[in-house]
Amino acid sequence: MFRATLKSLLARKVRLVLSGLAVVLGVMFVSGAFVLTDTLGRSFDKVFADAYAGVDVNVAAKPNVRVSEAEGMTLSPAFPAETVQRVAAVPGVADAVGVVAADGARLIGSNGKVVTSFGPPQLGSNWVGEGDLLQLREGRAPRADDEIVVNAALAQAAKVGVGDRVGVLTLAPKREFTLVGVFGYSGGRDSVGGSHEIYFTTPVAQELMLGETGVFNSVTVTAADGVTDAGLRDEVARALGDGFEVKTGAQLSEEMSADLKEGLAFFNRILLGFAAVALLVGTFLILNTFSIIVAQRTRELALLRAIGASGKQIIGSVVLEAVAVGLLASVFGLAAGVGVGALLAYLFGTFAGGLDLAGIAVPASAVLSAFGVGLVITVVAALLPALRAARIPPIAAMQDVATPDRPLTRITVSGAVVTAVGATLLALGLTDNAGDSVLPVILGGVLFTFVGVALLTPLISRPVVSLLGALFAFSVPGRLGRLNSGRNPRRTAITAAALMVGIALVTGVTVILDSAKSSLSALAQDSIKAELVIAGAQVGPRPASFDRDVLTEAAQIPGVRLAGGEYGDMAMVDGQRTWVGASSDPTALRQIFGVERAAGDVDRIGPEQMLVRAETATSRGWSVGSTAQVQLSRGEPRTFTVSGIYRSDVYTNPVTLPPTVTADFAVPHPIQGFVQLDPGTRVDDVLPRVEALLADSPEVSVADRDAFIEQQASQFDTLLTMIQILLALAIVIAVLGIVNTLALSVLERTRELGLLRAIGLRRAQTMRMITVEAVVISVFGALLGTVVGTGLGAAVVRALREDGITDLVLPWTQMGVFLGLAALIGVIAAALPAVRAARINVLGAIAHD
């Protein structure tokens, strides 16, 4: 049996390639994700190991508020210069250097725009001299207060050189400096991990990056000969007390790398999620392939039964073929995954600003997942056809028979039950009977409904395919193609279901994101009563900001009624991380956003008072007169009293503090501004004058309300495009499934095609017949996916109505495009099988057994 199976497998090489290609693509995605994260993880290990190679021990004050990169930036508090002297006096310390190092130093390039960094920090530091890691390549060190040096990567990105006058944005408004030096790193590197670095003299760095002179935010400690790093760390920690974090260079490197790897793990899970979708679609393809293979080998398998092969041996033969296909697909999928992972790592490194990549390696997780997933998917998909093959009676070898199409009763009942469960869960969620678990219940209903519809597809396929085929029934090839597409509902359903999965996911996501975009845009249009908005695009943990004087001057422009700015920061409020805001003019912002008073006074905020959103007050048990302790990024904890509670659809700050405390925010400048005009004032008359006020803030711009809302909503379009690109793999696999089904179907119907040719069907008509069959199947899959995706997307939108997603937007244009593409996919998928069918030798086909 083993030899017979191998000979059967090798005799059908095309079948082997077609059945394994889907698994290759799915495995490629899985293994590529692990190769990518392994490569980037080792790259970051190397980056931070290099960055802290010259650090024996590092001292920093404990941050007041710890935040993730998605929430903002963790600020390391400053401490007086006396602390450096205390560290230097600790036994075992050979040298202690006070360091200023903070994210947020942005260089303005030769084109007048800020040089952005998508991920790596933009550090502002004090120059402490060259070392083993850092060396000047051009010019000299900064000596005067208006001189800086930058790393070579930043100089190249900004297109500036030694001697140029450049602008720099920091905590202070734009200031001009002379670039007096460009430095690089050991090994000929232009940066460490793609970071942009600007070095000032120490007093200037303290003023611009920490907000005051005479302070530092870290100390680099060198151990004396014979003193271990760990031992020195413990001595320094004992000398300074609990207010400081004292770590070895190795510790610091490991922790920084671990933080970035945590973000990579999230990215990895996203890639694996899309890989799972691709493998699900691939499962349909493999299941269909082996079902057709078993049908084609009916007489062969029956002969094996007739000469003594047992049912177990037949099952083993089919499963062995599946194992062979799975192994080969896993090998090629792993190889392709390594290539894809390396390519994505290169793109990530380039996009991140020149990250020095570690060598590409194949981690054990990639190998295990490749062979585990490839084998499991293939064997599981082949198991049902194998069981069916074992039931073939030996008498079938004596007859010209095919495996009969089984009744649809069992699969229809199963599909109806699963669909009923999904519908019940959806009903519970949509009628507010799910308590606090509305969204999980809705998502569970979506999943069950999805599976149920897939099981019901064979029952649905017969009438729908017949209806779709009627569009082509005006000719003999069209009528034959229509009959062929409906002759085996189970096979048609499995082929169409593969395309349905991809189209349904794309359609559902489109419905959700378009609905969210429309709802939030409408809400902003109704709620923001300002004609102009000042804002900038955030490309890192630090939001774009501008000078507060811009708002004061904007308020003086003729035709301007109100001008208000908004600050923001993550703070600890009664021990809980909470986003807090502040407004330059609470009265102005109340009118601009239509804030309603729920209790107390919301028109003004005293020095030790705060306003809170009604939902926040309810959840925290606060009322007017309640107090809370607030710890901001800078300064000491303060106690604030609730003086007012407000309601607003747009004004989202849970807590609003007085503008007098913004100096203690991580970013002590407004991050958004709103300008309301007098009735009758033209926007075009005021906008250029506000733009002129922002000349020293190239990170931000002013736009009219409609343009601002459109800019914010465009983020949904970007997200949708990314999801569609990732889901395109599932659709590609579905197309392969149609090609595979048609190719194997042509082989299965060789004699039938020969007879049709013999009675007068021409080659062109044969090709049209195969094409009609493909178009009907693909349009059926796309139509089913569009309907299912629209329904399930609408259910999720309904579940999110309490979160402000109130508009249901159906993407009619995209749905039409999907159906049109499905027809095109059918034509493309039919090309090779149709050509093969047309080239069949008539006499040989009639004699085909």
Side-chain angles (χ1 to χ4, degrees):
M1 283 299 297
F2 179 76
R3 289 195 297 271
T5 301
L6 289 182
K7 287 184 178 180
S8 173
L9 192 62
L10 294 175
R12 299 174 176 87
K13 298 181 181 64
V14 174
R15 184 180 73 195
L16 174 67
V17 171
L18 289 174
S19 59
L21 194 54
V23 180
V24 168
L25 293 174
V27 169
M28 176 188 73
F29 220 145
V30 173
S31 57
F34 284 111
V35 170
L36 171 65
T37 50
D38 174 75
T39 301
L40 294 181
R42 288 184 294 104
S43 299
F44 287 126
D45 285 341
K46 182 176 181 296
V47 165
F48 290 114
D50 289 345
Y52 296 106
V55 177
D56 294 334
V57 173
N58 181 267
V59 177
K62 289 183 178 179
N64 294 329
V65 183
R66 294 184 186 276
V67 298
S68 66
E69 189 170 344
E71 296 171 323
M73 60 181 187
T74 299
L75 192 68
S76 182
F79 48 79
E82 290 77 8
T83 303
V84 181
Q85 299 171 6
R86 289 173 59 195
V87 173
V90 174
V93 172
D95 190 24
V97 178
V99 175
V100 174
D103 197 353
R106 292 94 68 208
L107 187 72
I108 300 173
S110 59
N111 60 359
K113 297 181 179 180
V114 173
V115 180
T116 56
S117 172
F118 297 92
Q122 297 173 292
L123 296 173
S125 304
N126 63 319
W127 181 261
V128 295
E130 298 179 79
D132 294 336
L133 177 66
L134 182 153
Q135 301 93 29
L136 281 169
R137 292 182 182 174
E138 301 176 52
R140 57 173 176 81
R143 298 169 188 157
D145 288 348
D146 67 340
E147 295 178 346
I148 59 171
V149 297
V150 302
N151 65 5
L154 179 54
Q156 292 169 11
K159 293 182 172 57
V160 296
V162 173
D164 290 344
R165 290 290 288 180
V166 295
V168 178
L169 302 176
T170 56
L171 291 180
K174 173 185 171 184
R175 280 181 54 173
E176 295 283 339
F177 294 86
T178 300
L179 180 61
V180 297
V182 175
F183 63 91
Y185 297 88
S186 58
R189 293 169 297 168
D190 293 336
S191 71
V192 174
S195 61
H196 293 165
E197 295 177 83
I198 302 175
Y199 281 86
F200 310 89
T201 60
T202 295
V204 174
Q206 291 169 334
E207 177 192 353
L208 298 184
M209 303 310 302
L210 302 181
E212 57 181 316
T213 57
V215 295
F216 299 94
N217 63 348
S218 70
V219 183
T220 299
V221 184
T222 304
D225 293 339
V227 178
T228 65
D229 293 351
L232 183 58
R233 174 199 61 198
D234 296 340
E235 288 295 327
V236 173
R238 276 193 291 270
L240 294 180
D242 294 334
F244 292 85
E245 293 181 338
V246 185
K247 300 174 182 178
T248 64
Q251 266 184 299
L252 210 53
S253 172
E254 184 178 343
E255 289 180 8
M256 296 290 287
S257 182
D259 288 342
L260 281 173
K261 287 179 181 178
E262 186 177 346
L264 288 178
F266 174 74
F267 181 61
N268 194 37
R269 286 191 288 270
I270 293 176
L271 290 179
L272 292 177
F274 285 103
V277 173
L279 289 169
L280 173 63
V281 176
T283 301
F284 285 109
L285 196 162
I286 298 296
L287 176 62
N288 213 21
T289 298
F290 277 91
S291 296
I292 298 174
I293 288 172
V294 168
Q296 291 177 351
R297 295 174 59 195
T298 297
R299 295 193 67 184
E300 175 189 331
L301 295 172
L303 279 171
L304 290 173
R305 292 295 309 280
I307 62 176
S310 66
K312 290 183 179 179
Q313 287 178 309
I314 296 297
I315 294 174
S317 175
V318 177
V319 171
L320 179 61
E321 186 170 342
V323 169
V325 171
L327 279 174
L328 287 172
S330 298
V331 170
F332 286 106
L334 177 61
V338 172
V340 168
L343 175 62
L344 290 176
Y346 170 77
L347 294 175
F348 184 95
T350 303
F351 185 71
L355 174 66
D356 295 321
L357 292 177
I360 301 298
V362 184
S365 56
V367 177
L368 293 175
S369 64
F371 285 95
V373 168
L375 282 173
V376 169
I377 291 294
T378 310
V379 171
V380 168
L383 196 56
L384 286 177
L387 294 173
R388 197 179 311 154
R391 298 191 185 103
I392 297 175
I395 194 67
M398 314 299 176
Q399 307 173 38
D400 184 14
V401 298
T403 303
D405 197 23
R406 294 173 295 147
L408 300 176
T409 306
R410 185 176 301 175
I411 194 171
T412 300
V413 171
S414 300
V417 171
V418 175
T419 303
V421 172
T424 302
L425 291 174
L426 287 174
L428 287 173
L430 297 177
T431 55
D432 297 327
N433 291 318
D436 296 331
S437 304
V438 173
L439 190 57
V441 169
I442 289 286
L443 293 178
V446 167
L447 177 61
F448 275 95
T449 304
F450 205 104
V451 174
V453 171
L455 292 174
L456 289 173
T457 304
L459 180 68
I460 302 170
S461 67
R462 188 164 280 164
V464 176
V465 165
S466 178
L467 183 63
L468 291 173
L471 299 174
F472 305 95
F474 54 84
S475 65
V476 172
R479 288 195 294 274
L480 290 173
R482 174 191 182 188
L483 293 173
N484 286 336
S485 59
R487 69 196 295 181
N488 192 324
R490 193 182 300 270
R491 181 184 303 175
T492 298
I494 294 174
T495 306
L499 186 59
M500 179 199 77
V501 172
I503 297 294
L505 288 173
V506 172
T507 304
V509 170
T510 302
V511 168
I512 295 169
L513 292 181
D514 281 358
S515 298
K517 177 181 175 181
S518 174
S519 300
L520 297 179
S521 296
L523 182 62
Q525 285 282 3
D526 293 339
S527 303
I528 299 178
K529 300 176 177 63
E531 286 74 17
L532 297 176
V533 180
I534 302 170
Q538 185 169 343
V539 295
R542 187 188 190 285
S545 61
F546 55 94
D547 189 354
R548 68 188 71 192
D549 290 340
V550 169
L551 298 171
T552 303
E553 296 178 28
Q556 306 304 316
I557 296 175
V560 172
R561 181 182 181 188
L562 296 170
E566 187 175 6
Y567 303 74
D569 195 15
M570 188 66 71
M572 299 297 293
V573 180
D574 279 347
Q576 297 182 33
R577 283 195 305 177
T578 307
W579 180 261
V580 300
S583 58
S584 61
D585 185 345
T587 303
L589 286 184
R590 180 189 173 189
Q591 295 182 43
I592 289 170
F593 287 108
V595 174
E596 297 180 2
R597 185 182 73 86
D601 185 0
V602 297
D603 284 330
R604 61 186 63 85
I605 311 177
E608 301 299 326
Q609 295 178 335
M610 65 181 186
L611 306 179
V612 297
R613 193 180 174 97
E615 294 84 350
T616 304
T618 301
S619 64
R620 299 285 187 97
W622 290 339
S623 60
V624 174
S626 298
T627 60
Q629 187 181 71
V630 178
Q631 173 64 70
L632 297 170
S633 295
R634 294 184 174 88
E636 299 297 324
R638 306 186 196 183
T639 299
F640 291 87
T641 302
V642 177
S643 61
I645 300 174
Y646 57 84
R647 296 189 185 93
S648 173
D649 292 330
V650 171
Y651 198 63
T652 56
N653 289 331
V655 175
T656 299
L657 301 175
T660 53
V661 305
T662 56
D664 288 340
F665 280 23
V667 179
H669 304 293
I671 56 179
Q672 281 188 328
F674 302 90
V675 179
Q676 189 180 80
L677 305 182
D678 290 325
T681 302
R682 296 176 63 249
V683 169
D684 292 342
D685 292 338
V686 178
L687 191 147
R689 301 189 63 176
V690 178
E691 278 183 333
L693 298 176
L694 295 169
D696 289 340
S697 302
E699 284 183 305
V700 299
S701 59
V702 59
D704 63 70
R705 179 178 56 188
D706 292 342
F708 171 74
I709 293 173
E710 179 61 31
Q711 180 186 20
Q712 299 302 306
S714 65
Q715 297 175 18
F716 290 99
D717 297 330
T718 302
L719 178 60
L720 179 60
T721 301
M722 292 173 59
I723 293 174
Q724 289 174 337
I725 291 172
L726 290 171
L727 286 175
L729 178 62
I731 297 175
V732 169
I733 295 176
V735 174
L736 291 175
I738 298 173
V739 174
N740 202 12
T741 298
L742 291 174
L744 294 175
S745 182
V746 167
L747 290 175
E748 183 182 39
R749 296 176 357 226
T750 299
R751 188 175 183 184
E752 174 188 317
L753 291 169
L755 287 171
L756 289 173
R757 292 292 312 285
I759 62 175
L761 194 69
R762 297 188 300 275
R763 287 188 175 183
Q765 291 177 311
T766 302
M767 294 176 66
R768 288 207 303 273
M769 178 185 70
I770 300 296
T771 302
V772 167
E773 183 178 351
V775 169
V776 169
I777 292 174
S778 59
V779 171
F780 168 57
L783 182 63
L784 194 60
T786 301
V787 172
V788 172
T790 300
L792 298 182
V796 174
V797 170
R798 175 72 173 81
L800 295 173
R801 68 189 185 283
E802 297 298 329
D803 296 314
I805 312 301
T806 55
D807 294 350
L808 175 61
V809 178
L810 299 183
W812 297 109
T813 302
Q814 288 92 329
M815 288 191 278
V817 170
F818 293 155
L819 293 176
L821 285 176
L824 179 61
I825 285 171
V827 173
I828 295 172
L832 291 178
V835 170
R836 182 166 185 172
R839 291 178 176 174
I840 284 178
N841 181 282
V842 176
L843 294 179
I846 294 174
H848 181 77
D849 191 7

